[in-house]
Amino acid sequence: MTMQETTETHRLETPASVSADAHPLDLATLYERFKRPLHSYIYRLLGSQEDADDLTQEVFLRAHVVWHDLHDHDHLSSWLYRLATNGCIDLLRRRKRLAWWPLTRRHRSSGPGGAGSDEDAAYLPLESGGIPEIFEREHIRLTLASMPPEYASALVLSAAQGLPYQAIAVILDISPGAAATRISRAKRLFAEQYQRLDPAGLGKPEEE
Amino acid sequence: MNHDPELPPIPAAGDAGSQGCAVVGLYLALLDDLSPEQVQAVFRHLAVCAHCTQELQRLRRTTRLVASLPASEPSPQVDQAILAALAAHREEQVPPRTSTDASIPVSRSEETAGTSQVPRSAGGSSSAGAGSAHRDPSLEPGSSWRRVWLCLACHPVLEWLCGLS
């Protein structure tokens, strides 16, 4: 995604832009406006089109169910992102639990001194087909999957969705200071994990 | 200069100690969200601190990598199904629910268990699905969470039994 696309996404996702010109009671309008940024957010976080389809559907189903009881129509963007974030974190935690079960059994059979978290990485296939761009994309997803879900979601909201930390604080229901700290730690954690999983990528210069 | 009182003040340019670098490191991760004055203050520190300059390179690379993940949109089938369900909801004007819990995580297992009221495809009974969402007791938060807690409670027992075998 280019920087221009990131900026465009950011502009569409700013909470204030929703209450300004969208009809507050029209869910279909809300869906048309937010289906792409929300789906992109979920897809980037989960790495699966099918899961992103399912969760996008669930988010708007949930919105549909509680729509009449929703009093705060001024922060619909943050509310939708919060629903999506909760769903993503729920699914990512479940994935980690599923991965933990066979790993536990394998460690028991192979004894102490195993490869530890490097074996976690082996559980997620790299379907690059030898294409560098796809390899890098899979590598980014692998790195995100290895992070705690709360940090991965904060990182994607900031770096990929282009949301400011103040908006992320509202979505995650934490203070702006806590959001800033979480984003900062998430970026460092990503950098460490990315380097650990891709030693060949160490020291690549930043492209200005 | 600081718009957010919750963030610590940016240290002066000469304060290149570990404490100063830790604070600047927080701002480096938020560089795109800062005011021009804050950015200038951060860059005054970077001019005399090689460690933070290197850290900025690393954080920028992280941002670029995550931002390179492609955008996406719902598949046409899901798109049509959701729009059909929302349209049906608008036409029927179903009475309000009593539940106000909008932040409960939604899991795919609930959907596969038949709790989702939005159909998978646009054809057929999409309007019926949307309308019945307000009457299905399995959509109540308590029922699904009870199942989750039951699974969690049984998990150590299952693991213990497998360990014995």
Side-chain angles (χ1 to χ4, degrees):
Chain A
M1 188 176 63
T2 65
M3 289 305 291
Q4 188 179 1
E5 284 170 325
T6 305
T7 309
E8 177 71 8
T9 307
H10 182 181
R11 188 179 63 79
L12 286 173
E13 291 165 351
T14 304
S17 67
V18 178
S19 57
D21 52 357
H23 191 289
L25 294 176
D26 192 344
L27 257 176
T29 305
L30 198 69
Y31 173 70
E32 286 296 338
R33 180 166 295 211
F34 282 99
K35 65 179 181 181
R36 286 187 183 85
L38 271 181
H39 193 278
S40 298
Y41 168 53
I42 298 167
Y43 179 60
R44 285 161 176 155
L45 205 47
L46 301 180
S48 157
Q49 173 78 24
E50 186 185 341
D51 286 342
D53 277 353
D54 284 353
L55 199 48
T56 303
Q57 183 169 302
E58 290 287 348
V59 165
F60 283 94
L61 168 67
R62 184 68 64 172
H64 157 253
V65 169
V66 301
W67 189 246
H68 286 289
D69 296 317
L70 188 66
H71 301 296
D72 185 6
H73 281 198
D74 293 334
H75 300 93
L76 291 172
S77 168
S78 302
W79 180 62
L80 290 172
Y81 267 112
R82 187 182 298 180
L83 289 175
T85 300
N86 287 342
C88 285
I89 289 175
D90 185 47
L91 190 55
L92 288 169
R93 282 179 180 157
R94 201 152 2 105
R95 280 184 188 172
K96 283 183 185 288
R97 280 199 295 271
L98 289 172
W100 168 81
W101 173 257
L103 281 171
T104 307
R105 293 174 65 84
R106 185 165 49 176
H107 284 170
R108 277 179 187 161
S109 59
S110 61
S117 54
D118 286 339
E119 290 191 19
D120 292 343
Y123 258 74
L124 295 165
L126 291 175
E127 297 167 347
S128 66
I131 303 170
E133 289 79 10
I134 298 179
F135 177 83
E136 184 172 77
R137 192 182 302 163
E138 290 299 319
H139 201 91
I140 294 165
R141 292 207 165 116
L142 186 62
T143 306
L144 283 172
S146 70
M147 295 171 63
E150 295 83 0
Y151 285 83
S153 60
L155 178 58
V156 172
L157 285 169
S158 172
Q161 303 303 114
L163 293 173
Y165 72 94
Q166 298 93 335
I168 295 172
V170 176
I171 292 167
L172 301 180
D173 198 20
I174 55 180
S175 69
T181 304
R182 188 177 295 186
I183 293 164
S184 174
R185 286 179 182 166
K187 286 189 174 180
R188 284 172 178 80
L189 185 59
F190 180 94
E192 288 166 11
Q193 294 283 81
Y194 190 87
Q195 287 188 346
R196 187 176 66 79
L197 296 172
D198 180 22
L202 270 171
K204 279 185 183 175
E206 168 65 22
E207 296 169 11
E208 295 292 346
Chain B
M1 185 190 302
N2 283 314
H3 297 299
D4 192 337
E6 289 201 43
L7 298 184
I10 301 174
D15 185 5
S18 59
Q19 189 69 31
C21 289
V23 174
V24 170
L26 178 67
Y27 283 90
L28 289 178
L30 310 168
L31 211 55
D32 293 337
D33 303 336
L34 303 181
S35 67
E37 294 82 11
Q38 288 174 314
V39 172
Q40 283 178 4
V42 169
F43 273 89
R44 279 196 293 272
H45 177 90
L46 292 179
V48 296
C49 182
H51 172 265
C52 287
T53 305
Q54 194 176 5
E55 183 68 3
L56 177 62
Q57 296 267 328
R58 204 163 71 115
L59 294 173
R60 276 184 169 166
R61 177 165 159 71
T62 293
T63 303
R64 185 183 63 78
L65 285 170
V66 178
S68 72
L69 288 173
S72 60
E73 61 182 345
S75 60
Q77 294 87 351
V78 172
D79 204 38
Q80 290 171 16
I82 294 175
L83 281 174
L86 295 181
H89 162 74
R90 190 170 44 190
E91 286 167 11
E92 291 179 11
Q93 290 294 311
V94 193
R97 283 170 56 88
T98 52
S99 170
T100 56
D101 191 348
S103 60
I104 292 176
V106 181
S107 65
R108 275 213 299 158
S109 60
E110 292 179 47
E111 183 182 334
T112 51
T115 57
S116 173
Q117 300 306 306
V118 179
R120 309 298 287 155
S121 63
S125 58
S126 58
S127 60
S132 61
H134 292 264
R135 295 186 294 273
D136 188 348
S138 63
L139 268 178
E140 293 299 328
S143 60
S144 58
W145 285 105
R146 251 180 255 126
R147 287 200 298 275
V148 171
W149 280 115
L150 189 62
C151 290
L152 287 174
C154 293
H155 188 266
V157 179
L158 287 172
E159 189 189 9
W160 180 72
L161 288 171
C162 291
L164 280 181
S165 61

